[in-house]
Amino acid sequence: MSAIRYGIAGQPVQHSLSPLLMAIVCDHLGMDVNGKQLRMELVEVDSMTDALAWGYAGAVPSPVEWTYTRSVFGKFRTSALLSKAVEAARLVKHAAPAFLPVDGVVEPSPAASRVEGLPTRMFEKEIWLNLTAPLKHQLVSSAVMSVDDSMETKSVNTLRWDGRGWWCGGFDGEGVVDVLRHHGVVPDKHVLGLHGGGGGARSTASAWAKLGGALTLLESRRVLEEGVWSSALCNQPAHAVVDFDDRSEANDNVLRLSATYGPMKGTVEERTTLLDGRLLDGRWLLVAQHLVCWRRLWSPERSDELPSLGLLMTKLVEAETVLGAYA
């Protein structure tokens, strides 16, 4: 497989678990994580122009320490600890029982994810980039080829430079759909409640509405503007809630998915228990949308080799626990 330069761009980015997920999935696919096949960086910028400049320049002006190793990528400490974490994840062959999907859930079809015309490793080096706040709404360019409507809905969270041009997509919404489906909530049978009006919320509203789902807007810091989802809005009670506003509300009768996550301590078993239940930590969304990035944009030709959502969650917990022992 070709050499990949991967970055997570936005502000702040030092707490992001995306690099750990990237390393775990690359290892799962047989790539040399600490070799010449993968190079990772935290790209702390507040403009899309600066994020793309990183892609072209090949380096960040001010390296950022990763919270989980207290060192920058490329330094010995981060490389050594990342190797230990990935080795632990490699030993995980099955999803933890707590992370298995509800009965009857079918994993997303790899074939349905493929995009017509997207190259499959025809260039020696590529750049893969994830975007977080405040960049998701900033990319609007005819020079970038989009695999979905993310530029129109201002919700781009993923880019790929294939050696010839830039491709982009917005996969937060598809990640939400996958997480909720994993827990038995599907668009054609359930109403989704939505807190938030930013890029992640717009992506979620678009993905849910396209699958025929109904949406009810809940109290938010930012109003969700009109869009392709407008006809799907209703006033019915929500069967599940997605929270992009980091609220602390809880309702045992309603499945609730947070878009944020924070530091976690404890053993693998203790962490697994915290991630199970009706209040879903943002790691669920992070893992799901990361898998969508691989299926839809980064490496769709290897979709059938990717770990399942439950297995990748299990691997992440194992790897994060290892890093936590050295924090």
Side-chain angles (χ1 to χ4, degrees):
M1 192 170 182
S2 305
I4 304 299
R5 279 182 53 226
Y6 171 76
I8 170 74
Q11 200 170 55
V13 291
Q14 67 268 18
H15 69 285
S16 175
L17 285 169
S18 291
L20 182 56
L21 281 175
M22 175 60 70
I24 292 171
V25 175
C26 284
D27 180 77
H28 181 85
L29 296 176
M31 294 177 62
D32 183 2
V33 173
N34 278 326
K36 297 181 179 180
Q37 289 184 296
L38 177 65
R39 173 184 164 191
M40 299 191 291
E41 288 179 293
L42 301 175
V43 187
E44 190 165 61
V45 294
D46 58 12
S47 77
M48 194 66 232
T49 300
D50 289 340
L52 294 176
W54 164 83
Y56 291 118
V60 291
S62 301
V64 179
E65 285 192 0
W66 194 33
T67 298
Y68 304 95
T69 59
R70 303 193 306 279
S71 180
V72 302
F73 282 96
K75 298 296 184 180
F76 175 77
R77 178 177 173 82
T78 293
S79 297
L81 293 182
L82 190 61
S83 290
K84 290 180 179 291
V86 170
E87 287 171 7
R90 188 184 306 144
L91 297 176
V92 176
K93 304 300 182 182
H94 304 285
F99 296 157
L100 291 173
V102 300
D103 291 340
V105 169
V106 178
E107 292 288 330
S109 168
S113 300
R114 296 195 176 116
V115 177
E116 190 67 28
L118 189 65
T120 55
R121 297 295 84 69
M122 66 171 64
F123 302 100
E124 291 185 1
K125 295 183 180 180
E126 295 198 359
I127 299 168
W128 297 356
L129 189 63
N130 274 139
L131 305 180
T132 186
L135 305 184
K136 293 183 181 182
H137 70 284
Q138 295 185 17
L139 182 61
V140 181
S141 172
S142 59
V144 178
M145 294 169 282
S146 180
V147 301
D148 56 16
D149 64 353
S150 56
M151 275 201 282
E152 289 80 4
T153 58
K154 299 179 181 179
S155 58
V156 175
N157 78 334
T158 309
L159 287 97
R160 172 185 174 187
W161 169 263
D162 63 12
R164 184 173 56 189
W166 286 101
W167 298 75
C168 76
F171 305 131
D172 285 321
E174 290 184 56
V176 167
V177 171
D178 287 349
V179 172
L180 295 183
R181 181 192 296 115
H182 187 90
H183 289 85
V185 178
V186 293
D188 61 345
K189 294 181 180 179
H190 301 99
V191 177
L192 180 63
L194 189 60
H195 287 292
R202 291 191 294 271
S203 178
T204 297
S206 176
W208 196 261
K210 283 178 182 176
L211 293 172
L215 294 156
T216 183
L217 301 185
L218 305 175
E219 184 179 354
S220 303
R221 292 195 298 265
R222 177 178 176 181
V223 176
L224 182 70
E225 60 193 49
E226 292 187 358
V228 294
W229 49 81
S230 295
S231 61
L233 299 180
C234 71
N235 293 316
Q236 299 176 37
H239 297 98
V241 171
V242 180
D243 180 10
F244 288 95
D245 276 358
D246 196 20
R247 295 169 178 267
S248 59
E249 302 169 14
N251 184 337
D252 291 338
N253 296 319
V254 176
L255 184 71
R256 191 177 189 89
L257 171 62
S258 172
T260 61
Y261 58 89
M264 184 175 286
K265 296 182 179 181
T267 65
V268 168
E269 292 74 20
E270 290 169 337
R271 292 168 186 247
T272 299
T273 298
L274 289 173
L275 293 169
D276 190 20
R278 303 291 288 173
L279 181 59
L280 302 177
D281 181 85
R283 287 170 175 79
W284 278 100
L285 176 53
L286 181 71
V287 169
Q289 69 88 24
H290 190 82
L291 287 171
V292 179
C293 290
W294 280 87
R295 292 199 311 264
R296 295 269 280 131
L297 185 60
W298 289 337
S299 195
E301 74 278 8
R302 302 196 69 178
S303 294
D304 55 357
E305 302 174 59
L306 293 171
S308 66
L309 174 56
L311 177 57
L312 187 52
M313 277 290 294
T314 308
K315 286 176 174 285
L316 176 63
V317 171
E318 193 76 38
E320 195 179 349
T321 303
V322 170
L323 292 181
Y326 294 91

